[in-house]
Amino acid sequence: MADCVFCKIASGEIPSQMVYQDDAVVAFKDVNPQAPIHILIIPRQHIPSLMDLDESNAAIIGHIMLVAKNLARQFGIDQGGFRIVSNCGADAGQSVDHVHFHLLGGRSLQWPPG
Ligand code: 5GP
Ligand code: ZN
């Protein structure tokens, strides 16, 4: 999608600290990290939010969870623990309308979130 920052990161038009990519998925470091490890995992396909998913997207979402697991191990947060977050809509604070999953770890995370 032309005006989407995450589509531009996925295509390489906007630079990022990419940590993983394949045909369907891109993962890169968040520009404003909220934890020592803060990685965003996105589908290359422009899907605005979780509410726009349907059965045709089930495989890619499952794939993203496996990528997250592998990145957790790669970045050394698999033993200590980590959190995967997808903010959906205004009340959750979603600020980029391209569905994405935050992988957060490297410190003790509070619950419930604010
Ligand atoms: P949201 O608030 O929508 O759940 O998360 C969007 C995230 O994208 C934020 O944590 C924000 O820091 C990150 N972000 C926004 N623009 C950019 C960018 O241009 N590059 C990178 N690496 N992260 C971005
Ligand atoms: Zn997009």
Side-chain angles (χ1 to χ4, degrees), residues 4 7 46 98:
C4 172
C7 282
H46 182 84
H98 180 132

Side-chain angles (χ1 to χ4, degrees), residues 19-76:
V19 295
Y20 176 82
Q21 58 177 315
D22 63 26
D23 286 351
V25 164
V26 170
F28 51 95
K29 293 190 179 178
D30 196 294
V31 76
N32 182 24
Q34 301 302 311
I37 306 299
H38 188 171
I39 293 168
L40 299 171
I41 310 167
I42 68 169
R44 287 189 185 275
Q45 180 186 355
H46 182 84
I47 303 167
S49 85
L50 288 180
M51 288 308 296
D52 298 294
L53 296 173
D54 60 31
E55 275 301 323
S56 73
N57 308 123
I60 185 68
I61 299 305
H63 179 54
I64 285 173
M65 291 299 129
L66 293 175
V67 168
K69 170 195 151 180
N70 291 336
L71 287 169
R73 186 176 291 142
Q74 181 182 331
F75 282 85

Side-chain angles (χ1 to χ4, degrees), residues 5-6 87-90 92-98 100 102:
V5 63
F6 284 0
N87 295 318
C88 181
Q94 182 176 2
S95 61
V96 178
D97 290 335
H98 180 132
H100 51 281
H102 300 255

